[in-house]
Amino acid sequence: MQAVTITGAGGPEVLVLSTVAAPEPREGEVVVEVVAAGVNRADVQQRKGLYPPPKGGSELPGLEVSGRVAALGPGTEDSGWALGDEVCALLSGGGYAESVAVPVGQLLPVPHGVRLADAAALPEVACTVWSNLVTEAGLREGETVLVHGGSSGIGTMAIQVASALGARVVVTAGSQAKLDACRDLGADVLVNYREQDFVEVVRAATEGRGADVILDVVGATYLGRNLEALAPDGRLVVIGLLGGRRAELDLGTLLMKRARVSATSLRSRSVADKARIVADVREHVWPWVEQGRVRPVIQSRHPLAEAGEAHREMETSGHVGKILLDVRAG
């Protein structure tokens, strides 16, 4: 089969379309014939040699796909899935390919009303957002959430999920066009981080109280200011390190606010953990998708052979929502 391989740590040029062995399903896995694959920051980091796949995972990049069930592995005969079913899936790797083997618990049906070729934009962001905003941070109706990078794939999903929960959404982004897109998705308060101090804006929008939950993809450079922006009993969840790995933490501020700081990674979780997250997403988020309250936001599509161009587009940070690779006609 055809797949995108990483020939060595480096720039987008190290992504090469190659012929590789087709996957065979192991115990508890199915094989999905891929129609489309999502492009994620984690793929870029893997290409650079900074984010290796988990032990036993595929060396090929790609953390989410949509397609059709092509083979059932041992132990999946009574799983409820059948050959030809249209699905999307959360992966540990291997999505930039014509076929991929997936643990059966990481499969999701394509929501009604969503094209098969568009469904690849959903699994990774939906699972990341639900597991962090709801399971980890406990975001509730009536609370205020600050989402950094509101126009990213994660950000556009976080805005919609938080809005569906009944939370008030504050977002940061670097241009008016991106902020306009965030507003159209349901964001209530818009912060241009190039021109405004998000701490001041959050305080003004909450009468000095601060945000109950902050979802942060930046990391070190925002840590101190995130603590300032948190409300009493606030929860900061760090899911990215675009601004670095190391920073000082004022434990006094943390104590006074009774605040909580956590950091999570979806890719490194166990198969059982991922299955639980996927089940939660199917139960809670998929109905919103089918009702039109949550939708995939897609910036662009590239042929599989042009995965390097997709990575270049992601690294410019000019996109709103997801970038996809088209593998075959959906």
Side-chain angles (χ1 to χ4, degrees):
M1 71 171 183
Q2 295 291 290
V4 173
T5 59
I6 302 174
T7 58
E13 69 279 358
V14 305
L15 298 176
V16 176
L17 190 65
S18 307
T19 300
V20 302
E24 294 290 335
R26 295 176 292 191
E27 180 77 25
E29 292 184 338
V30 304
V31 172
V32 174
E33 183 182 75
V34 178
V35 167
V39 177
N40 291 282
R41 288 279 179 188
D43 305 334
V44 173
Q45 295 298 94
Q46 180 176 340
R47 189 203 75 217
K48 293 178 177 179
L50 302 175
Y51 193 28
K55 185 177 180 180
S58 172
E59 295 292 330
L60 302 176
L63 301 181
E64 58 189 341
V65 297
S66 59
R68 299 178 180 89
V69 175
L72 298 171
T76 66
E77 298 85 356
D78 298 324
S79 64
W81 299 103
L83 297 180
D85 282 350
E86 295 191 345
V87 297
C88 52
L90 178 70
L91 312 174
S92 297
Y96 291 16
E98 291 182 321
S99 296
V100 63
V102 186
V104 70
Q106 293 168 216
L107 289 180
L108 286 156
V110 174
H112 297 300
V114 176
R115 294 175 58 240
L116 178 59
D118 294 342
L122 290 171
E124 197 272 343
V125 290
C127 289
T128 296
V129 166
W130 184 266
S131 62
N132 285 287
L133 279 189
V134 181
T135 306
E136 180 67 27
L139 182 66
R140 300 182 294 272
E141 181 179 1
E143 290 191 317
T144 296
V145 58
L146 169 60
V147 178
H148 288 301
S151 60
S152 67
I154 295 292
T156 53
M157 177 59 66
I159 292 167
Q160 296 180 86
V161 168
S163 296
L165 285 168
R168 188 181 189 200
V169 184
V170 184
V171 297
T172 64
S175 71
Q176 190 58 50
K178 288 184 175 182
L179 291 172
D180 289 343
C182 292
R183 181 190 58 217
D184 292 344
L185 290 169
D188 302 288
V189 180
L190 311 175
V191 184
N192 186 327
Y193 66 80
R194 301 182 192 278
E195 301 173 356
Q196 299 169 282
D197 181 345
F198 70 80
V199 178
E200 293 180 358
V201 176
V202 167
R203 285 177 171 170
T206 59
E207 299 181 344
R209 186 174 184 277
D212 300 288
V213 173
I214 299 177
L215 186 65
D216 180 41
V217 296
V218 178
T221 56
Y222 272 15
L223 180 60
R225 294 166 67 205
N226 279 333
L227 286 183
E228 292 180 43
L230 271 181
D233 300 306
R235 293 86 73 195
L236 166 62
V237 185
V238 180
I239 60 170
L241 300 172
L242 294 175
R245 301 165 59 97
R246 297 181 181 273
E248 290 189 358
L249 177 65
D250 185 340
L251 293 176
T253 300
L254 203 65
L255 285 168
M256 284 189 297
K257 292 191 173 185
R258 303 179 304 277
R260 188 174 84 226
V261 179
S262 58
T264 73
S265 171
L266 181 60
R267 188 183 194 186
S268 61
R269 291 177 184 262
S270 69
V271 170
D273 280 347
K274 289 177 184 176
R276 283 192 289 269
I277 293 169
V278 166
D280 283 346
V281 165
R282 182 172 182 175
E283 179 182 356
H284 298 286
V285 180
W286 254 221
W288 291 335
V289 177
E290 295 182 345
Q291 294 161 14
R293 300 175 68 187
V294 173
R295 61 180 176 85
V297 179
I298 299 169
Q299 170 72 35
S300 61
R301 319 180 80 99
H302 299 261
L304 184 62
E306 296 177 11
E309 290 304 312
H311 277 220
R312 289 187 180 93
E313 181 181 13
M314 174 156 281
E315 289 182 289
T316 67
S317 295
H319 59 287
V320 173
K322 299 288 293 187
I323 299 168
L324 298 184
L325 297 175
D326 283 331
V327 179
R328 52 170 59 85

